[in-house]
Amino acid sequence: MECKKALSSPEVEGDLQKAMEWLRKHGTQKASAKVVGREAPEGLVGICIGSEAASLVKVASETDFASRSETFSGFVQEVADAAAAQNNNVSDVTSFLSGTKNETGKLLSESLNDVILSIRENIQVDSISVMKASPNSVLGGYVHNRVAGSNCGSAAAIVELTFEKELPDAEETAKKLAMHVVAAKPAYLNPESVPEDIVQKEKSILMEKMTDSNKPPEILEKIITGQLRKFYEQICLTEQSHMIFMKKAILK
């Protein structure tokens, strides 16, 4: 029935190639209409590490089963590769997809439609981040629970490592740092980058705990300083011990 509709369409004019394109276009529209609005709590993150830029993208799906398919992971990798090749920050995901082509010359928005038509799930590109390499730096990344044949998985991180002089095994060191970021999930680079309101809130909590301690102010200050150090160890990358190589501090 759909084939008959396609061939009889005024825009097709009985042309088989045009009919195939009509079926593909209208099939995608129907599939998208059916899945739009459905929750997509699963998915994958993917990375691409280039010499000048690295990208990290997050694409959502409805089920874990679908996200582990070759079709889905291949699309995630397409988006990551295109973002890294562009070497620019992506401020609007929709515009990026509709204006960027993959290696075969197909628009990413068309690739997304193909994935939706194939998987029949609500597929959304949630975010795209691009990190540019600066002079005297290397980019490294790590993907956890990787899908075979891709740089996509359940969690990922990209890291830029800068140095004043040549650093042996710089890329491997950056990868190890990325492994730690995935495992420890630090919220900030160092104590200096923690917003002041966050620090003051933590101090207030610590002070409240010490209200009935009857300790001199100078002793309380030392205790709070020590507690803040532990707080920074929880949230700041530079204050943490490497979770994979436990005996090594990040700064070393």
Side-chain angles (χ1 to χ4, degrees):
M1 192 67 179
E2 290 297 314
C3 293
K4 186 177 180 179
K5 285 183 181 179
L7 288 169
S8 61
S9 173
E11 60 191 271
V12 172
E13 299 176 341
D15 187 291
L16 287 177
Q17 184 61 39
K18 289 182 179 180
M20 291 175 65
E21 293 176 0
W22 187 97
L23 285 168
R24 181 168 167 268
K25 177 181 178 181
H26 287 76
T28 300
Q29 290 176 346
K30 286 185 177 180
S32 298
K34 288 180 179 179
V35 303
V36 68
R38 297 197 321 217
E39 290 188 8
E42 302 294 336
L44 294 175
V45 290
I47 66 171
C48 177
I49 308 295
S51 59
E52 297 182 357
S55 66
L56 188 152
V57 305
K58 179 182 178 184
V59 183
S61 64
E62 293 179 41
T63 64
D64 179 66
F65 178 79
S67 69
R68 291 285 157 176
S69 69
E70 185 176 341
T71 299
F72 185 87
S73 61
F75 172 69
V76 178
Q77 194 62 60
E78 272 187 27
V79 178
D81 292 347
Q86 182 178 269
N87 195 16
N88 282 313
N89 293 325
V90 177
S91 57
D92 187 319
V93 172
T94 301
S95 296
F96 175 78
L97 296 177
S98 61
T100 307
K101 297 180 179 180
N102 62 15
E103 292 182 350
T104 65
K106 179 186 287 186
L107 287 171
L108 293 176
S109 56
E110 294 179 358
S111 293
L112 174 58
N113 288 335
D114 289 345
V115 175
I116 294 173
L117 183 59
S118 174
I119 298 177
R120 301 285 173 167
E121 285 195 5
N122 185 17
I123 310 298
Q124 302 174 359
V125 180
D126 283 348
S127 62
I128 302 174
S129 301
V130 177
M131 178 182 289
K132 296 181 181 180
S134 55
N136 298 321
S137 75
V138 295
L139 298 168
Y142 170 73
V143 177
H144 183 66
N145 201 13
R146 185 192 304 268
V147 176
S150 73
N151 276 326
C152 307
S154 57
I158 53 177
V159 170
E160 181 189 18
L161 189 63
T162 59
F163 44 86
E164 295 181 357
K165 58 182 180 179
E166 195 66 28
L167 182 66
D169 302 321
E171 291 183 3
E172 184 63 24
T173 300
K175 180 180 178 179
K176 289 177 179 178
L177 285 173
M179 291 171 66
H180 172 85
V181 170
V182 170
K185 300 179 178 64
Y188 305 97
L189 175 62
N190 51 38
E192 292 74 25
S193 62
V194 181
E196 185 60 28
D197 62 321
I198 300 294
V199 177
Q200 291 303 320
K201 182 179 179 180
E202 184 64 20
K203 281 185 176 181
S204 297
I205 293 172
L206 295 172
M207 287 293 291
E208 190 171 336
K209 287 181 179 179
M210 303 291 289
T211 300
D212 300 324
S213 65
N214 295 320
K215 289 183 171 59
E218 61 274 14
I219 300 299
L220 285 176
E221 186 65 30
K222 288 182 180 180
I223 294 174
I224 290 174
T225 299
Q227 291 295 319
L228 278 177
R229 190 177 299 114
K230 292 181 180 179
F231 173 68
Y232 288 138
E233 288 174 0
Q234 294 174 356
I235 65 172
C236 296
L237 175 64
T238 59
E239 307 306 298
Q240 297 174 337
S241 295
H242 200 289
M243 292 192 71
I244 312 300
F245 308 95
M246 295 300 290
K247 294 183 179 179
K248 293 186 177 181
I250 293 295
L251 283 177
K252 296 181 179 180

